[in-house]
Amino acid sequence: MKRFIITASILLVIIGVFLLVVIKFGNTGDKEEEPITAYRYDSDMDSEPQTIQSGKVKLVFDPVTATFTYTDKYGNEWRSNPEGAEDGISDAAKSLLLLEYRNSSGAKNYLSSREHSVNKGNYTYEVVDSSTIRIDFTIGLISKTYYIPTVLSEARFNELSEMVSPETKSVLKSRYKKYDPEKLKDGDADTWKKLSEKYPDLLEGKLVYEMYDNTKDYLKEELEELLIQDINYSHEDWEKDNEYGQVEGKHTVLPTVNVSLYLKLENDELVVEVPFDSIEYYQAYPITELRVLPFFCGSNTNQNGYLFVPDGSGAYINFNNGKTTQSVYSAKMYGWDYGQSREIVISDPTARFPVYGAAYTDTDTSLLCVIESGDAYAGVEADVAGRQYNFNYVTGIFTIVHNQLADVGSRSIHGFQVYEEKLPKGEKISLRYLGIDSSDYVDMAKTYREYLLNRYPELNQKAEGDLPVAVELLGAVAKMQHVLGFPKELPYALSTYNEMDAILTDLKNSGWTDLNVVLNGWFNKGIDHKWADDISLIGKLGKKKNFKNLLSNAASMGYNVSLKADFMFERKDTLLDSYHVKRDSSRFLSREVAAFRPISNIWYGEIEDEEKYYFAKPSVTLKTIDSFLKDASSLGCKSIAFASIGNKLGADYYRKKPESRQSALNGQVKKLAELKGNNNVIYNGNAYAIPYADIVLDFPIKASNVSIEDGSIPFFPIALHGYVRYTGDSVNITNDYITNLLNSAETGAGLYFIFMDAATDELQESAHTEYFGASYGTWATQAKELYNRYKNDFGHLTGKTIENHKEINDNVYLTEYSDGTMVYVNYRTTDYKFSDGFKIPAQDWVVVKGGN
């Protein structure tokens, strides 16, 4: 018996914990919420087209269809929805907003502003001023809202009956069923119980009037018009009367969202905004995704042109290319949100720049969309006609309510969705549309360049110095070694401080100038270092004086040294360091610590045998940078090579003190701006970080060429060359050395090498065998020859802008610079000859300098 009681008690505790978890984390659909008040298109609102104008641009809004046409500063007209959308059967193509929401089981469902708002009359608009229009949508499965009371008390019913005309009084009587408490008491007991609980007036012997459930819309509309006509029945009257029917009863909760869309004309451009503070939804039906003007950058099947997507350096997708069996283009802006868990990664497409667009060769025009705010929540999707829609389109997709599948327990195969509790205050989605009087991607990139220079004053100073060249020197890696016969993971020297000094001296003696030097694996036990809030040099690499001597000698050579460190991830957590996992790590929505393991390239899942690494709170990251700089300054160096900042980003979903991904982005930007003068280095280069870097390594100089794309274009190099110093992938650590060099020559990228003093085989039994080609002894001669050629060909172009780029024949390209220099690149395996005898060797380039 005792054993039974204990077992039962344990079972009850488990059930109690389970219920607590479900109540705490699960869907809150059963919780009573305040009803969402629907917007409504009133009959007294002006249905005539509304025009706003500012400078050279104009927008005409149609209140009846809630669509618009926009005329840019060149006089080109753009429709909010593709031509022919009104004739199609899809309401999505006629919409300004598309929503995704989840139901109680976590299944995805979709709503459109045309079908679930405009067609029902559940929207309104206001011309805020001469350059701004606001449209308020109620999008959902609710019926059209009529300003007539649903339930009336006896007193209110009699009051209205006496105020209106005999005709309206007759209609009132016919539209409402009368609940008489005396008759109800004598009838069905269950009905009496239910109604008396819903309407307490019945218990006091008073009548209650409730509109018939099956009242047709046209009958509701008739009563509404009569009430307005007789007594000027208003929205305020309706809200007051509705309070009576909701005092005791529960209102019906259906998928519904209120959202406001602002159309603004600003600086001769169109700006579209959705404030988060305007978004209302029921917790039972969270809004997980929002598409704003989903088909503005789109076309019908009769138009010719291409979609521009921010894949790598940029890529184009021809209209109607027929690739409907290929996957749509889809990429997350700035990559994965490290505040959210993931255990499987099959593909991880990342967009570095928040811009996309469409070009129309028929009219020789194009339209670019720049995501100015809310970019941290964005993704970009593009598809061609013939799959889901009969239109080509590229659009931004914004995550609104973040969600995650959480496990009930380790022994359960079932889980449930956990949702973000509330949206970040004061944030918004903001899109700026740039009309262009050309369909050439070079002109589109130049327009984006102008935009960047206006938005980031830090970019306006032309890039200075010699050819952008960076050398990353590898210090130590963790490697299993034997101490007194016992295996122990310890730092293993790939290049000591003195050996690093010797490599730099050799390069200087060979004529290398203006070099950016990055020290990697130089502190806190190596490349996968301990938390970086303080600095401990590695004894196996040398003493403190050796390290200072390295820095001093590099400075005397005219080299800038940056210390590589990761401030976002803790990879070597120990009991004795200052990083406390539970205190300093971000949290997933499930409240779990944000922990990850390396992903296998074979089965695409986490490698269970590998140690976890932790994603730090954004606030902890920023504080650690300050602490690191204090120690680094004492060693004689203030320049940082940021391992993660500028290429990775994540939120903290800790419920007591969350920090949104956009807030984390803003915090990074503020810190990078403070450190602008320190000659810092970033990798890959998310758009928001680039203005504050001295050089960007591994900058995207080629598209990934996913199946739906038709080609790669150097959109971002064209936009930034002459203002930003950048390189492509490491020359000697790449899967395709020749193609990498040709890409660099085509896009004006500098050179980036990774060197170590050790031989390649010394990387065995370490976690960094990817540095297979880093041995300086193997690469020194080839690197020096390449540097000399590169400097001679491209050294004069550092501060020059790219003014033209084109494919002159299959796999043969021409890049032209502002000083007249022309760079011809031949990717073919055979020579390419012009009719006049001019030749570009196979898999090589030829530079014709300006004036020659």
Side-chain angles (χ1 to χ4, degrees):
M1 183 66 182
K2 183 177 181 181
R3 180 178 298 175
F4 171 77
I5 293 173
I6 294 173
T7 303
S9 300
I10 293 173
L11 182 60
L12 287 172
V13 169
I14 292 173
I15 293 172
V17 170
F18 173 77
L19 289 174
L20 179 62
V21 169
V22 172
I23 292 170
K24 192 71 177 177
F25 296 109
N27 195 291
T28 57
D30 293 333
K31 182 180 178 181
E32 180 72 8
E33 297 182 73
E34 289 295 319
I36 291 175
T37 301
Y39 296 112
R40 204 195 81 149
Y41 188 84
D42 287 335
S43 57
D44 60 348
M45 291 171 56
D46 195 342
S47 61
E48 293 299 313
Q50 303 294 305
T51 300
I52 55 175
Q53 194 159 358
S54 177
K56 300 177 182 178
V57 297
K58 179 178 71 173
L59 184 143
V60 180
F61 173 69
D62 182 354
V64 176
T65 60
T67 59
F68 66 85
T69 57
Y70 165 64
T71 305
D72 67 23
K73 61 184 178 182
Y74 300 106
N76 302 312
E77 189 174 274
W78 305 97
R79 298 166 59 97
S80 59
N81 305 81
E83 188 172 355
E86 288 297 330
D87 301 326
I89 59 173
S90 172
D91 281 312
K94 309 170 191 176
S95 299
L96 299 186
L97 299 173
L98 298 179
L99 299 171
E100 175 194 280
Y101 72 90
R102 302 289 183 97
N103 61 20
S104 58
S105 64
K108 298 178 182 179
N109 296 276
Y110 301 92
L111 300 170
S112 72
S113 60
R114 172 57 74 92
E115 179 181 0
H116 302 102
S117 177
V118 177
N119 290 352
K120 297 179 178 183
N122 289 338
Y123 72 105
T124 185
Y125 78 92
E126 178 184 356
V127 180
V128 179
D129 54 43
S130 60
S131 60
T132 306
I133 290 177
R134 186 189 73 244
I135 314 166
D136 302 313
F137 293 101
T138 298
I139 307 172
L141 301 184
I142 61 172
S143 301
K144 178 177 179 178
T145 302
Y146 294 94
Y147 292 163
I148 53 177
T150 304
V151 183
L152 291 167
S153 66
E154 181 179 6
R156 179 59 172 162
F157 184 86
N158 292 335
E159 180 185 4
L160 288 175
S161 298
E162 292 177 4
M163 295 169 64
V164 298
S165 67
E167 178 191 358
T168 305
K169 182 176 181 179
S170 175
V171 171
L172 270 175
K173 287 183 177 180
S174 67
R175 300 288 186 269
Y176 292 85
K177 54 186 171 184
K178 180 172 65 174
Y179 290 131
D180 186 333
E182 297 302 323
K183 292 181 180 179
L184 288 171
K185 287 178 183 178
D186 296 335
D188 181 66
D190 289 340
T191 302
W192 165 249
K193 183 176 184 297
K194 179 180 177 181
L195 288 173
S196 61
E197 288 177 353
K198 187 176 182 181
Y199 304 123
D201 275 7
L202 295 173
L203 296 172
E204 299 178 15
K206 299 177 182 178
L207 301 176
V208 173
Y209 294 84
E210 183 182 74
M211 180 167 285
Y212 288 103
D213 292 335
N214 59 352
T215 303
K216 302 295 184 183
D217 283 353
Y218 77 91
L219 296 176
K220 294 179 181 178
E221 187 171 353
E222 178 193 20
L223 177 58
E224 179 185 62
E225 292 175 355
L226 288 171
L227 288 174
I228 293 173
Q229 175 184 308
D230 286 0
I231 59 173
N232 197 24
Y233 191 84
S234 66
H235 180 267
E236 290 73 21
D237 294 327
W238 173 74
E239 286 185 327
K240 186 175 179 181
D241 284 337
N242 266 0
E243 290 177 3
Y244 174 80
Q246 295 170 0
V247 170
E248 298 295 337
K250 290 179 69 174
H251 65 278
T252 302
V253 174
L254 294 171
T256 308
V257 60
N258 276 356
V259 58
S260 297
L261 180 73
Y262 286 79
L263 306 174
K264 299 181 177 182
L265 301 180
E266 181 182 287
N267 299 327
D268 285 337
E269 291 156 353
L270 171 62
V271 177
V272 179
E273 293 181 354
V274 175
F276 277 20
D277 293 345
S278 77
I279 300 176
E280 294 181 89
Y281 61 93
Y282 290 121
Q283 294 292 327
Y285 301 102
I287 305 303
T288 48
E289 284 187 355
L290 173 64
R291 301 179 185 214
V292 182
L293 305 192
F295 299 100
F296 197 29
C297 293
S299 76
N300 60 36
T301 55
N302 296 322
Q303 294 173 286
N304 295 311
Y306 58 90
L307 305 171
F308 162 68
V309 293
D311 175 30
S313 64
Y316 65 92
I317 302 171
N318 289 323
F319 294 167
N320 316 310
N321 68 9
K323 297 181 181 181
T324 55
T325 60
Q326 305 297 332
S327 298
V328 300
Y329 171 81
S330 180
K332 290 182 179 295
M333 195 60 61
Y334 314 135
W336 185 257
D337 179 355
Y338 282 90
Q340 296 192 280
S341 65
R342 62 174 181 174
E343 297 176 353
I344 297 176
V345 182
I346 297 176
S347 65
D348 193 17
T350 297
R352 301 287 177 194
F353 291 81
V355 57
Y356 56 86
Y360 305 84
T361 54
D362 294 332
T363 56
D364 196 23
T365 58
S366 54
L367 184 66
L368 278 181
C369 175
V370 182
I371 306 173
E372 290 194 317
S373 188
D375 46 326
Y377 311 122
V380 176
E381 181 179 285
D383 200 4
V384 293
R387 192 197 312 267
Q388 185 175 4
Y389 303 107
N390 202 28
F391 303 100
N392 308 281
Y393 71 91
V394 57
T395 187
I397 303 177
F398 298 87
T399 300
I400 303 300
V401 179
H402 294 81
N403 61 96
Q404 175 188 334
L405 185 65
D407 294 328
V408 175
S410 59
R411 295 186 179 183
S412 173
I413 62 172
H414 301 290
F416 55 88
Q417 289 290 335
V418 185
Y419 297 96
E420 201 171 7
E421 286 189 341
K422 56 185 177 182
L423 300 181
K425 290 282 187 182
E427 294 188 10
K428 63 183 177 182
I429 293 168
S430 181
L431 310 175
R432 184 178 293 270
Y433 290 91
L434 312 176
I436 304 165
D437 207 25
S438 169
S439 58
D440 188 342
Y441 62 81
V442 175
D443 292 325
M444 294 167 69
K446 288 180 182 179
T447 300
Y448 186 55
R449 177 199 297 164
E450 293 174 10
Y451 167 83
L452 292 173
L453 294 177
N454 287 328
R455 183 168 186 185
Y456 299 103
E458 297 86 354
L459 283 177
N460 277 278
Q461 185 175 352
K462 283 289 189 75
E464 297 177 350
D466 210 337
L467 175 73
V469 180
V471 169
E472 185 170 325
L473 298 175
L474 304 180
V477 292
K479 188 173 178 179
M480 197 64 67
Q481 301 168 60
H482 287 83
V483 179
L484 300 175
F486 295 96
K488 185 176 182 180
E489 191 176 72
L490 295 169
Y492 183 87
L494 301 175
S495 312
T496 66
Y497 303 137
N498 287 341
E499 288 166 346
M500 292 179 183
D501 189 14
I503 292 173
L504 296 182
T505 300
D506 186 51
L507 294 176
K508 180 64 178 178
N509 292 337
S510 300
W512 290 38
T513 60
D514 201 19
L515 185 64
N516 284 85
V517 179
V518 174
L519 303 185
N520 187 7
W522 61 278
F523 80 118
N524 289 17
K525 296 192 174 182
I527 292 175
D528 292 326
H529 58 75
K530 295 195 305 178
W531 192 239
D533 66 332
D534 61 7
I535 293 174
S536 296
L537 296 177
I538 301 171
K540 289 189 177 182
L541 301 186
K543 297 181 179 180
K544 187 175 183 179
K545 66 177 182 180
N546 303 123
F547 184 77
K548 284 193 167 186
N549 187 59
L550 166 64
L551 296 180
S552 176
N553 288 345
S556 67
M557 299 174 195
Y559 295 168
N560 178 69
V561 177
S562 300
L563 306 177
K564 190 172 184 179
D566 195 334
F567 303 99
M568 295 178 66
F569 298 94
E570 166 62 304
R571 299 181 184 275
K572 292 289 183 184
D573 183 55
T574 64
L575 292 174
L576 299 179
D577 66 15
S578 61
Y579 189 92
H580 297 281
V581 169
K582 290 188 177 181
R583 181 194 66 192
D584 297 330
S585 299
S586 292
R587 297 296 179 113
F588 298 144
L589 284 162
S590 62
R591 292 195 176 184
E592 297 174 289
V593 166
F596 302 89
R597 284 191 175 92
I599 299 294
S600 168
N601 293 324
I602 299 174
W603 67 84
Y604 307 111
E606 286 190 339
I607 305 174
E608 293 295 331
D609 293 338
E610 294 285 347
E611 290 185 8
K612 289 182 178 180
Y613 60 95
Y614 302 93
F615 174 59
K617 291 177 179 289
S619 57
V620 172
T621 287
L622 299 180
K623 185 171 64 174
T624 302
I625 294 172
D626 294 334
S627 180
F628 174 87
L629 271 175
K630 184 178 180 181
D631 281 7
S633 298
S634 68
L635 292 171
C637 186
K638 290 185 178 180
S639 298
I640 303 175
F642 291 99
S644 297
I645 288 178
N647 64 76
K648 292 181 174 61
L649 190 63
D652 180 10
Y653 295 100
Y654 181 48
R655 290 172 185 256
K656 290 184 179 179
K657 195 176 181 181
E659 183 166 3
S660 72
R661 198 171 190 239
Q662 193 73 43
S663 175
L665 182 158
N666 295 338
Q668 287 190 16
V669 169
K670 183 178 179 182
K671 180 57 65 177
L672 290 170
E674 290 175 5
L675 306 177
K676 168 69 175 172
N678 289 10
N679 295 321
N680 296 314
V681 177
I682 64 171
Y683 291 78
N684 305 138
N686 291 341
Y688 58 83
I690 283 178
Y692 311 102
D694 179 58
I695 189 170
V696 183
L697 306 184
D698 197 11
F699 183 78
I701 58 174
K702 199 71 176 176
S704 62
N705 292 324
V706 296
S707 299
I708 196 173
E709 295 174 355
D710 292 296
S712 174
I713 53 177
F715 186 94
F716 301 119
I718 292 171
L720 291 173
H721 196 280
Y723 296 93
V724 174
R725 301 169 70 240
Y726 58 85
T727 76
D729 195 5
S730 172
V731 173
N732 57 320
I733 309 292
T734 179
N735 292 325
D736 191 340
Y737 165 74
I738 293 176
T739 301
N740 184 33
L741 274 182
L742 296 177
N743 291 159
S744 297
E746 182 190 351
T747 59
L751 296 175
Y752 167 36
F753 298 92
I754 299 177
F755 290 141
M756 64 183 181
D757 185 77
T760 300
D761 58 7
E762 295 184 56
L763 289 169
Q764 293 179 10
E765 299 180 10
S766 78
H768 290 285
T769 54
E770 73 269 19
Y771 295 123
F772 57 89
S775 180
Y776 182 69
T778 303
W779 262 92
T781 300
Q782 189 174 357
K784 292 172 185 177
E785 292 175 354
L786 180 59
Y787 172 86
N788 290 332
R789 182 188 177 190
Y790 226 80
K791 183 176 181 180
N792 179 66
D793 286 347
F794 305 110
H796 66 294
L797 295 175
T798 300
K800 305 299 187 293
T801 56
I802 296 175
E803 293 303 310
N804 196 18
H805 176 273
K806 60 183 177 180
E807 186 175 16
I808 57 179
N809 211 311
D810 289 344
N811 291 316
V812 182
Y813 295 86
L814 167 63
T815 305
E816 188 172 353
Y817 290 83
S818 54
D819 68 343
T821 295
M822 292 182 286
V823 179
Y824 296 87
V825 180
N826 180 12
Y827 288 87
R828 296 178 175 187
T829 55
T830 58
D831 296 347
Y832 180 79
K833 295 182 180 180
F834 288 84
S835 57
D836 61 359
F838 179 65
K839 182 179 73 174
I840 310 169
Q843 296 189 320
D844 206 343
W845 68 83
V846 173
V847 177
V848 180
K849 295 185 179 180
N852 296 327

